[in-house]
Amino acid sequence: MKRRKFIASFLLLSGGVVLSSKTALGFPGIAGARVRGTVKARGKKLANVIVSDGFSVVQTDRKGRYEIPFNAQARFVFVSIPAGYAIPNENGIARHYQPFNSSDTKQEYHFELTPLQQDDTSHRFIVWADPQVKNKNDVEEMQTTAAPDVKRLVQSFGAGALVHGMTVGDIVWDKHELFSSYDKAVASTGIPFFQALGNHDMDYNKGGDEASDATFQSLYGPTYYSFNRGKVHYVVLDDVRYLGSDRHYDGALSEQQLNWLRKDLAFVPKEHLVVIGLHIPVHNGVENNQELYELLGDRKVHIMSGHTHYNRNVVKDNVYEHVHGTLCGAWWTGPVCGDGAPRGYGVYEVNGTDMTWYYKSTGFEKDHQLSVQVDDSEGQKYMVANVWNWDPEWKVAWWADGASMGALESTKGFDPLAVSLYKGKGLPEKRGFAEPTETDHLFRAALAPGTKKLKVVATDRFGNQYEQSVEVENS
């Protein structure tokens, strides 16, 4: 009893949700059984707040009350945090839900929210993809490089800045005892984090897709849900479908999730921005991606994914998918991912329904957005620029010995640094399976004999210019 009171007091003081439940006796399957509760803020009843059990999606009435039909498959009752309210969290881990005891048909779940002291129309968020820690050395890297980098970034935004985080899966690398180490890293950043399920976060060989989520759900709650900040509706989905044995899985969105999402979006104004976080890239890794695209309609949507250990941006009509380079790079073996993008994470700045972004390389300043290398592996020297967060709206130009050489077009290829670090038997020494990855965010040009100095300027879609120069070694 003392521990329960302590947790409730902690959440209240940390701007979180105070959760309480009152369970009456009942029997599963009784016709008309309901789940009931209220949503309040400092005792004030909150109307029009969305509450769900993952099947039904309802809105509180003018007295802050809601009712959900009893569903024996439901595992949680969760609130879609409305704009203008703090993100409930416990040491940085979002707690916007309560476990649902499906053995009783009559239950009451009450949510107490905390109003923000400022307008949240403008805010920021960061996206971690694939921390994927497997041992104590990986954990040390995460806790001493990545987490402090985020903390410094958040502090640079100034006191009171509204920032939250999303980790889009593969929090650990099958070692579930290391979830607590991730939690400590999150706590040290000073911002609340939401989590999506990755293939390495699942329970193997314990049943089908639903059974594989058990450990994750015990630590982080539902695998799909939504929340709001300003004029942005955030959705987290589970697109990893476990196939029941060993590490076999594929990318798919269950009909249950899609049905829930359709109901959830019905309460979201069409003009609001929608941001979706999940693990496997939708554009090429989810077999029923067209169902998701059709459900989203013509809304303005950004999808945040990971899984691939490379950075890539894919624009499909009204949907912009950000496939993030990983927090761990190439599995904590070197400074870059397989495509040459540095270890790092996405940073997003929201103003109303407009959003800007950049890729933050761990240990570097914001302006570190490209690398320039000289490759002479083919008997001819080439300038190779890697602009890792490039999309078709970027412009890239180069100079040789002070003379403008014009614009460059993107090309597919392998980053020279990634090749030197990861290609070949026994490389990298720590995890030899890591290999360089072909990417489309490279820019190449043949160099004239005797060229001494190169400069590349990349201009992103928002007009920000980034410059990198390099000296050419001539024998």
Side-chain angles (χ1 to χ4, degrees):
M1 180 62 73
K2 289 182 179 179
R3 183 175 183 273
R4 181 176 292 181
K5 289 182 178 178
F6 168 76
I7 292 174
S9 299
F10 172 82
L11 287 169
L12 181 61
L13 291 172
S14 64
V17 166
V18 177
L19 307 178
S20 64
S21 63
K22 178 182 178 182
T23 305
L25 294 177
F27 301 92
I30 292 179
R34 313 290 287 179
V35 177
R36 297 180 173 88
T38 57
V39 181
K40 298 180 181 180
R42 295 179 179 169
K44 179 183 177 182
K45 302 165 185 175
L46 296 181
N48 304 321
V49 177
I50 304 305
V51 182
S52 178
D53 64 351
F55 295 86
S56 299
V57 181
V58 299
Q59 199 171 40
T60 57
D61 64 17
R62 60 187 180 85
K63 293 185 177 181
R65 300 173 303 193
Y66 69 89
E67 286 191 2
I68 296 175
F70 174 80
N71 190 314
Q73 297 180 65
R75 298 184 181 183
F76 300 93
V77 178
F78 52 93
V79 61
S80 185
I81 308 158
Y85 291 87
I87 293 171
N89 70 92
E90 184 178 3
N91 294 324
I93 301 299
R95 303 293 190 206
H96 53 290
Y97 59 90
Q98 295 190 59
F100 182 69
N101 184 354
S102 60
S103 64
D104 297 307
T105 57
K106 289 187 178 180
Q107 298 196 44
E108 294 182 3
Y109 295 87
H110 304 289
F111 295 85
E112 181 74 25
L113 299 174
T114 301
L116 290 170
Q117 299 302 305
Q118 68 216 83
D119 179 49
D120 60 357
T121 303
S122 294
H123 62 272
R124 297 177 174 89
F125 67 97
I126 69 167
V127 177
W128 277 7
D130 303 72
Q132 206 160 333
V133 289
K134 194 176 184 67
N135 56 41
K136 64 179 182 180
N137 292 326
D138 298 344
V139 167
E140 183 179 4
E141 288 262 24
M142 174 178 63
Q143 294 182 341
T144 61
T145 61
D149 194 86
V150 172
K151 183 178 181 179
R152 287 190 294 270
L153 178 69
V154 172
Q155 290 174 339
S156 74
F157 296 149
L162 293 176
V163 190
H164 66 274
M166 299 173 68
T167 298
V168 292
D170 281 2
I171 296 169
V172 298
W173 189 353
D174 303 337
K175 301 292 186 179
H176 290 174
E177 65 270 22
L178 297 180
F179 278 123
S180 60
S181 298
Y182 162 82
D183 294 352
K184 290 178 182 177
V186 163
S188 72
T189 67
I191 62 173
F193 267 73
F194 294 87
Q195 284 66 227
L197 177 76
N199 52 289
H200 286 291
D201 303 323
M202 299 188 300
D203 298 298
Y204 301 134
N205 300 314
K206 293 184 179 180
D209 189 38
E210 290 295 324
S212 70
D213 300 344
T215 297
F216 180 93
Q217 289 182 328
S218 71
L219 297 171
Y220 305 115
T223 59
Y224 60 93
Y225 52 88
S226 66
F227 62 97
N228 303 275
R229 180 150 275 191
K231 294 181 179 180
V232 183
H233 185 66
Y234 293 89
V235 177
V236 172
L237 296 175
D238 170 12
D239 67 347
V240 184
R241 181 172 59 184
Y242 185 57
L243 301 178
S245 64
D246 299 325
R247 289 166 173 76
H248 297 150
Y249 67 91
D250 63 5
L253 289 163
S254 67
E255 285 304 309
Q256 178 180 310
Q257 282 187 85
L258 293 171
N259 289 336
W260 167 83
L261 181 58
R262 185 175 293 104
K263 297 173 186 176
D264 176 76
L265 289 177
F267 292 101
V268 180
K270 285 290 185 67
E271 66 273 14
H272 281 200
L273 180 66
V274 175
V275 173
I276 298 176
L278 39 67
H279 184 57
I280 297 176
V282 172
H283 73 277
N284 66 352
V286 174
E287 70 170 35
N288 59 338
N289 56 14
Q290 194 58 38
E291 291 184 59
L292 176 62
Y293 293 140
E294 290 174 0
L295 192 157
L296 295 171
D298 59 357
R299 291 176 181 271
K300 184 179 177 182
V301 180
H302 287 261
I303 295 177
M304 311 292 165
S305 59
H307 184 60
T308 61
H309 291 252
Y310 58 68
N311 201 78
R312 188 183 182 200
N313 295 309
V314 179
V315 183
K316 180 179 174 62
D317 299 323
N318 57 306
V319 178
Y320 191 121
E321 181 162 11
H322 308 255
V323 183
H324 292 79
T326 59
L327 201 70
C328 69
W331 296 271
W332 301 109
T333 59
V336 298
C337 303
D339 64 337
R343 293 182 187 173
Y345 50 94
V347 181
Y348 298 84
E349 301 183 358
V350 176
N351 183 15
T353 59
D354 293 327
M355 188 168 75
T356 61
W357 56 87
Y358 60 93
Y359 185 84
K360 175 67 171 66
S361 302
T362 301
F364 293 87
E365 296 301 319
K366 174 183 177 180
D367 61 359
H368 185 60
Q369 296 295 324
L370 70 155
S371 66
V372 180
Q373 302 168 67
V374 176
D375 180 21
D376 59 0
S377 59
E378 300 174 8
Q380 156 74 50
K381 282 187 170 64
Y382 285 89
M383 182 279 297
V384 181
N386 190 336
V387 185
W388 40 79
N389 211 27
W390 172 84
D391 68 33
E393 295 296 318
W394 284 62
K395 296 178 176 61
V396 181
W398 72 297
W399 284 255
D401 293 331
S404 173
M405 305 300 289
L408 291 166
E409 298 294 327
S410 67
T411 185
K412 289 186 177 181
F414 293 89
D415 178 82
L417 176 60
V419 169
S420 68
L421 291 173
Y422 306 137
K423 186 175 178 58
K425 186 177 181 180
L427 292 177
E429 182 177 347
K430 186 176 177 182
R431 284 164 179 153
F433 63 84
E435 289 291 325
T437 305
E438 188 176 41
T439 179
D440 63 356
H441 49 66
L442 293 183
F443 299 81
R444 289 167 56 92
L447 299 181
T451 302
K452 297 179 179 179
K453 187 173 182 178
L454 303 173
K455 181 178 76 171
V456 177
V457 176
T459 306
D460 69 15
R461 60 166 46 225
F462 310 112
N464 301 306
Q465 288 193 340
Y466 307 102
E467 181 178 317
Q468 186 74 37
S469 297
V470 64
E471 301 287 338
V472 181
E473 293 185 7
N474 290 290
S475 56

